[in-house]
Amino acid sequence: EVPLNGTAPDIIGQFVEVEVGFRGASNGSSPIVYSVTPTAVAPPTLTVTSPDEDGRLPAGSTLLLTGSALATMPALADGRTVRNDITHVTVNGAPVDALNAADDFYTLVDINPGENVLTCTAYDEFGQSATATLTLQGTTGDLAYENLSEVTASLKGEFARTSFDEHTDTLYSELAVRNTGGYPVDAPLLIGVRNISDPMVSMLNPDGFTADDIPFIDFSSLVADGTLSPNERSDLFALAFHNPGMTQFTFDLVILGRLNQPPAFTSVPD
């Protein structure tokens, strides 16, 4: 019941059916309805802030997934806003580890080999929901080569002594790399050899091959503290080439490393 000149209380719900009856303030008076205005509340919104879509992470690792949700609170005709809030957030149906007062959410996710599909869903007080799907790739192997960037433009090869073993037709060339750029480069640090000018010449004993079939040597252990700072040089390593024709040849270096990353959360905030 609403007193004279009063305002009806808010009626909130996703599906609402309201029956209204009117009674005059005195006998013989007729009530007048000026307006009844329903206000629609849109579903919430949800944004995943980290990690990025299609990211590649080592299988068996654990990442911190973070994001934010926002409940819709439209304005009413009298200047008030509809009361609404995010009630809970799930990832693949399981509640997130933390949801703070600002509706930022945090949860730890285990990365499996292959494709990992993460479905994040936020719910508001009206039972409405918003969903965002994130797909990550879990990589296998001793090193997550896919997470490395080509840093050839910032690192330069510096060659030292060269020798040739006539008994095995093997050419040895000592190589170090120097960071000539302005940013640190973190290990893993891989040095690949491509575009060998003589098709009879091949690189011996590589540590592995990239997805483009480029043979590489893992220089990580030759970087003293795991980071090659600007103007810092790695230790020397002797590249070995099979050169049966004892010919002169040229080749290009391709250098893969991990650019220094900005700090990021790795655990759920208290």
Side-chain angles (χ1 to χ4, degrees):
E1 185 165 336
V2 181
L4 182 65
N5 297 324
T7 301
D10 294 336
I11 302 172
I12 299 175
Q14 187 173 9
F15 303 101
V16 178
E17 180 178 337
V18 180
E19 181 177 333
V20 181
F22 298 96
R23 185 178 63 204
S26 60
N27 292 333
S29 64
S30 299
I32 298 175
V33 178
Y34 288 99
S35 65
V36 175
T37 305
T39 300
V41 179
T45 59
L46 182 147
T47 303
V48 176
T49 55
S50 178
D52 295 330
E53 172 72 12
D54 293 327
R56 306 178 73 87
L57 298 161
S61 64
T62 299
L63 71 86
L64 179 66
L65 187 149
T66 65
S68 61
L70 180 65
T72 305
M73 294 184 290
L76 300 175
D78 60 3
R80 296 177 300 157
T81 57
V82 174
R83 300 191 305 272
N84 195 11
D85 201 359
I86 298 297
T87 58
H88 62 290
V89 178
T90 64
V91 175
N92 289 352
V96 296
D97 295 326
L99 176 65
N100 64 20
D103 293 331
D104 299 319
F105 61 88
Y106 308 84
T107 198
L108 294 172
V109 176
D110 294 328
I111 299 301
N112 298 314
E115 187 175 77
N116 293 254
V117 179
L118 306 175
T119 301
C120 307
T121 307
Y123 299 86
D124 67 6
E125 292 185 358
F126 295 92
Q128 303 178 111
S129 64
T131 297
T133 300
L134 178 72
T135 302
L136 304 173
Q137 298 295 327
T139 61
T140 58
D142 294 334
L143 291 172
Y145 303 127
E146 296 88 347
N147 293 329
L148 303 183
S149 303
E150 183 170 345
V151 292
T152 309
S154 298
L155 274 70
K156 301 299 181 184
E158 296 185 357
F159 292 92
R161 189 171 65 95
T162 299
S163 60
F164 186 77
D165 186 339
E166 296 182 357
H167 297 289
T168 60
D169 294 331
T170 301
L171 175 74
Y172 296 96
S173 181
E174 293 184 339
L175 170 70
V177 291
R178 184 182 298 276
N179 185 351
T180 58
Y183 300 94
V185 176
D186 295 332
L189 185 64
L190 311 181
I191 311 299
V193 172
R194 62 184 172 187
N195 301 332
I196 298 177
S197 61
D198 188 339
M200 297 296 293
V201 176
S202 60
M203 183 179 176
L204 296 175
N205 305 319
D207 290 324
F209 294 84
T210 69
D212 298 326
D213 206 31
I214 298 173
F216 65 79
I217 298 295
D218 186 357
F219 261 53
S220 302
S221 62
L222 303 175
V223 179
D225 58 357
T227 298
L228 205 60
S229 301
N231 202 40
E232 185 179 2
R233 195 185 85 159
S234 72
D235 293 336
L236 288 166
F237 180 87
L239 298 177
F241 298 90
H242 184 229
N243 185 5
M246 295 186 293
T247 59
Q248 291 187 342
F249 63 93
T250 61
F251 58 88
D252 296 327
L253 294 177
V254 56
I255 305 175
L256 302 176
R258 180 169 290 127
L259 295 174
N260 198 258
Q261 300 294 316
F265 289 113
T266 58
S267 60
V268 176
D270 296 331

